[in-house]
Amino acid sequence: MTQTTITLYTRNRCPLCDKAKATLLELKENWEFTFEEVDIETNDDLTERYGLMIPVVHLDGEEVGFGFIDKFDISNRLHEKSQSNELK
């Protein structure tokens, strides 16, 4: 079974990013995944790609949310991912 990774693309002084991080850390209490936080301001390509969208959440490289991050939606995505991993 492969480890699931959630990546949060964020930047400093971003209240929505802070809320998204808190939401993901809450989910980590019930779901097993690796959490990565990437500051888009350290990379021009990321700033150009996500500058107006942050926070952006990727689940194993797939974009699953941006802006307001919905805990229920991400939880459903994690559930779907765990089900598909069990079938492999």
Side-chain angles (χ1 to χ4, degrees):
M1 190 158 118
T2 59
Q3 176 69 37
T4 298
T5 300
I6 290 186
T7 306
L8 174 64
Y9 292 93
T10 184
R11 68 162 42 118
N12 290 328
R13 297 174 309 283
C14 169
L16 274 179
C17 298
D18 295 340
K19 288 180 183 179
K21 183 176 181 179
T23 296
L24 294 173
L25 292 177
E26 281 180 36
L27 286 168
K28 196 154 177 39
E29 294 173 9
N30 297 311
W31 294 96
E32 190 172 320
F33 60 86
T34 301
F35 176 71
E36 300 175 341
E37 187 173 1
V38 177
D39 182 348
I40 66 167
E41 293 180 340
T42 62
N43 180 299
D44 290 341
D45 291 335
L46 291 176
T47 299
E48 185 175 323
R49 185 172 181 185
Y50 297 126
L52 299 175
M53 297 171 61
I54 61 159
V56 177
V57 175
H58 280 201
L59 177 61
D60 290 338
E62 177 189 353
E63 185 180 303
V64 294
F66 66 93
F68 178 78
I69 303 304
D70 184 274
K71 183 178 179 181
F72 185 73
D73 183 49
I74 302 297
S75 181
N76 282 340
R77 298 288 189 125
L78 287 165
H79 179 73
E80 290 170 8
K81 189 75 171 178
S82 71
Q83 294 298 313
S84 68
N85 283 343
E86 288 177 10
L87 297 175
K88 291 180 180 178

